[in-house]
Amino acid sequence: MHEIKERLEEGVRLLQSLEMRRLDTRTPLLGYNAEYLIIARELRQLEADILQDPGALESQLVRVRRKTEI
């Protein structure tokens, strides 16, 4: 759990940095691809973490088959 917290905090720092650069440069789409990749990576990792050890969520999990990975 500690690793997840650190990883998410780092992601937040990166996203905040991107947002500050957008505001400074007045370029709303600056870093959009990087932002998307950060969020997608974290969601995939959270999903993997939950599937590895679902705990109390096990009864609520629905497995979805995907054709491709992002």
Side-chain angles (χ1 to χ4, degrees):
M1 184 64 124
H2 189 58
E3 178 183 318
I4 294 170
K5 181 179 183 241
E6 290 173 354
R7 199 178 65 235
L8 290 175
E9 286 173 346
E10 178 63 22
V12 167
R13 281 191 292 276
L14 290 170
L15 293 174
Q16 287 173 335
S17 174
L18 281 173
E19 184 62 21
M20 292 301 293
R21 288 183 61 203
R22 284 182 187 142
L23 293 172
D24 289 344
T25 62
R26 297 181 184 179
T27 309
L29 295 179
L30 180 71
Y32 174 80
N33 291 333
E35 178 181 53
Y36 177 84
L37 291 173
I38 291 167
I39 293 169
R41 179 190 69 209
E42 291 307 326
L43 289 174
R44 281 193 313 273
Q45 188 59 48
L46 284 171
E47 178 184 42
D49 292 344
I50 290 170
L51 290 175
Q52 183 178 359
D53 183 18
L57 296 175
E58 188 167 11
S59 65
Q60 299 174 14
L61 291 180
V62 176
R63 301 208 186 251
V64 177
R65 294 188 187 268
R66 294 189 181 92
K67 291 182 181 181
T68 59
E69 287 289 324
I70 297 175

